[in-house]
Short mmCIF file of all heavy atoms in Angstrom, two decimals:
data_model
loop_
_atom_site.label_atom_id
_atom_site.label_comp_id
_atom_site.label_asym_id
_atom_site.label_seq_id
_atom_site.Cartn_x
_atom_site.Cartn_y
_atom_site.Cartn_z
N VAL A 3 -14.60 1.10 -17.10
CA VAL A 3 -15.94 0.58 -16.81
C VAL A 3 -16.41 1.15 -15.48
O VAL A 3 -15.61 1.34 -14.56
CB VAL A 3 -15.91 -0.96 -16.76
CG1 VAL A 3 -17.22 -1.51 -16.21
CG2 VAL A 3 -15.61 -1.53 -18.13
N LEU A 11 -23.64 -4.46 -5.56
CA LEU A 11 -24.39 -5.15 -4.51
C LEU A 11 -25.09 -6.39 -5.06
O LEU A 11 -25.18 -7.43 -4.37
CB LEU A 11 -25.42 -4.20 -3.88
CG LEU A 11 -24.84 -3.08 -3.01
CD1 LEU A 11 -25.93 -2.10 -2.60
CD2 LEU A 11 -24.16 -3.67 -1.77
N ILE A 23 -22.39 -18.00 1.94
CA ILE A 23 -21.53 -17.33 2.90
C ILE A 23 -22.04 -15.91 3.13
O ILE A 23 -22.60 -15.28 2.22
CB ILE A 23 -20.06 -17.31 2.40
CG1 ILE A 23 -19.13 -16.85 3.51
CG2 ILE A 23 -19.90 -16.44 1.17
CD1 ILE A 23 -17.68 -17.05 3.17
N ILE A 30 -14.51 -6.47 -0.82
CA ILE A 30 -14.81 -5.92 -2.15
C ILE A 30 -13.68 -5.01 -2.58
O ILE A 30 -13.19 -4.19 -1.80
CB ILE A 30 -16.14 -5.13 -2.15
CG1 ILE A 30 -17.32 -6.05 -1.89
CG2 ILE A 30 -16.33 -4.42 -3.48
CD1 ILE A 30 -18.66 -5.33 -1.90
N ARG A 37 -5.84 2.66 -9.63
CA ARG A 37 -4.61 1.96 -9.27
C ARG A 37 -4.83 1.33 -7.90
O ARG A 37 -4.92 2.02 -6.89
CB ARG A 37 -3.45 2.95 -9.24
CG ARG A 37 -3.18 3.58 -10.59
CD ARG A 37 -2.20 4.73 -10.49
NE ARG A 37 -0.89 4.28 -10.06
CZ ARG A 37 0.15 5.10 -9.90
NH1 ARG A 37 0.02 6.38 -10.11
NH2 ARG A 37 1.32 4.62 -9.50
N ASP A 55 -11.59 -4.18 -15.06
CA ASP A 55 -11.68 -3.89 -16.49
C ASP A 55 -10.26 -3.91 -17.05
O ASP A 55 -9.34 -4.40 -16.40
CB ASP A 55 -12.39 -2.55 -16.74
CG ASP A 55 -11.65 -1.36 -16.14
OD1 ASP A 55 -10.53 -1.55 -15.62
OD2 ASP A 55 -12.20 -0.24 -16.17
N LYS A 64 -0.44 -11.83 -13.22
CA LYS A 64 0.29 -11.29 -12.06
C LYS A 64 -0.01 -12.11 -10.80
O LYS A 64 0.88 -12.36 -9.98
CB LYS A 64 -0.10 -9.83 -11.84
CG LYS A 64 0.49 -8.85 -12.86
CD LYS A 64 1.98 -8.69 -12.66
CE LYS A 64 2.55 -7.61 -13.55
NZ LYS A 64 4.02 -7.48 -13.37
N GLY A 128 19.88 -7.72 -5.12
CA GLY A 128 20.62 -6.74 -5.92
C GLY A 128 21.69 -6.11 -5.07
O GLY A 128 22.26 -6.74 -4.17
N MET A 142 7.65 0.79 10.66
CA MET A 142 6.26 0.82 10.23
C MET A 142 5.34 1.24 11.37
O MET A 142 4.36 1.97 11.17
CB MET A 142 5.85 -0.56 9.69
CG MET A 142 6.48 -0.93 8.35
SD MET A 142 6.08 0.25 7.05
CE MET A 142 4.29 0.18 7.07
N GLU A 159 14.01 1.84 0.39
CA GLU A 159 13.50 0.86 -0.57
C GLU A 159 12.44 -0.09 -0.04
O GLU A 159 11.29 -0.08 -0.48
CB GLU A 159 14.68 0.03 -1.13
CG GLU A 159 15.85 0.83 -1.64
CD GLU A 159 16.85 1.18 -0.55
OE1 GLU A 159 16.67 0.74 0.61
OE2 GLU A 159 17.81 1.91 -0.84
N GLU A 164 6.15 -2.07 2.12
CA GLU A 164 5.23 -2.32 3.24
C GLU A 164 4.30 -1.14 3.47
O GLU A 164 3.12 -1.32 3.78
CB GLU A 164 6.03 -2.64 4.50
CG GLU A 164 6.77 -3.97 4.41
CD GLU A 164 7.00 -4.61 5.77
OE1 GLU A 164 6.07 -4.58 6.61
OE2 GLU A 164 8.10 -5.15 5.98
N MET A 167 1.45 -1.27 1.06
CA MET A 167 0.47 -2.30 1.39
C MET A 167 -0.47 -1.83 2.50
O MET A 167 -1.66 -2.13 2.48
CB MET A 167 1.18 -3.58 1.83
CG MET A 167 1.90 -4.30 0.71
SD MET A 167 2.71 -5.81 1.30
CE MET A 167 3.30 -6.50 -0.26
N MET A 187 14.08 -0.93 -6.06
CA MET A 187 12.76 -0.50 -5.63
C MET A 187 11.74 -0.68 -6.76
O MET A 187 10.62 -1.16 -6.54
CB MET A 187 12.77 0.95 -5.16
CG MET A 187 11.42 1.42 -4.61
SD MET A 187 11.55 3.00 -3.75
CE MET A 187 12.04 4.07 -5.10
N ILE A 205 12.71 15.42 -4.62
CA ILE A 205 11.61 15.80 -3.73
C ILE A 205 10.77 16.92 -4.35
O ILE A 205 9.55 16.94 -4.23
CB ILE A 205 12.16 16.23 -2.36
CG1 ILE A 205 12.75 15.02 -1.63
CG2 ILE A 205 11.07 16.89 -1.51
CD1 ILE A 205 13.46 15.36 -0.33
N GLN A 273 16.79 4.55 19.86
CA GLN A 273 17.72 3.66 19.18
C GLN A 273 17.16 2.25 19.19
O GLN A 273 16.62 1.80 20.21
CB GLN A 273 19.10 3.69 19.83
CG GLN A 273 20.15 2.89 19.06
CD GLN A 273 21.53 2.95 19.68
OE1 GLN A 273 21.65 3.00 20.91
NE2 GLN A 273 22.56 2.96 18.86
N VAL A 286 24.54 -12.62 16.88
CA VAL A 286 24.99 -11.69 15.84
C VAL A 286 24.21 -10.39 16.00
O VAL A 286 22.98 -10.38 15.96
CB VAL A 286 24.75 -12.27 14.43
CG1 VAL A 286 25.20 -11.26 13.37
CG2 VAL A 286 25.49 -13.58 14.26
#
Side-chain angles (χ1 to χ4, degrees):
V3 170
L11 289 173
I23 191 170
I30 294 181
R37 297 170 65 179
D55 62 6
K64 287 289 187 182
M142 289 301 302
E159 310 87 4
E164 293 207 41
M167 290 180 174
M187 184 168 64
I205 292 173
Q273 187 178 35
V286 178

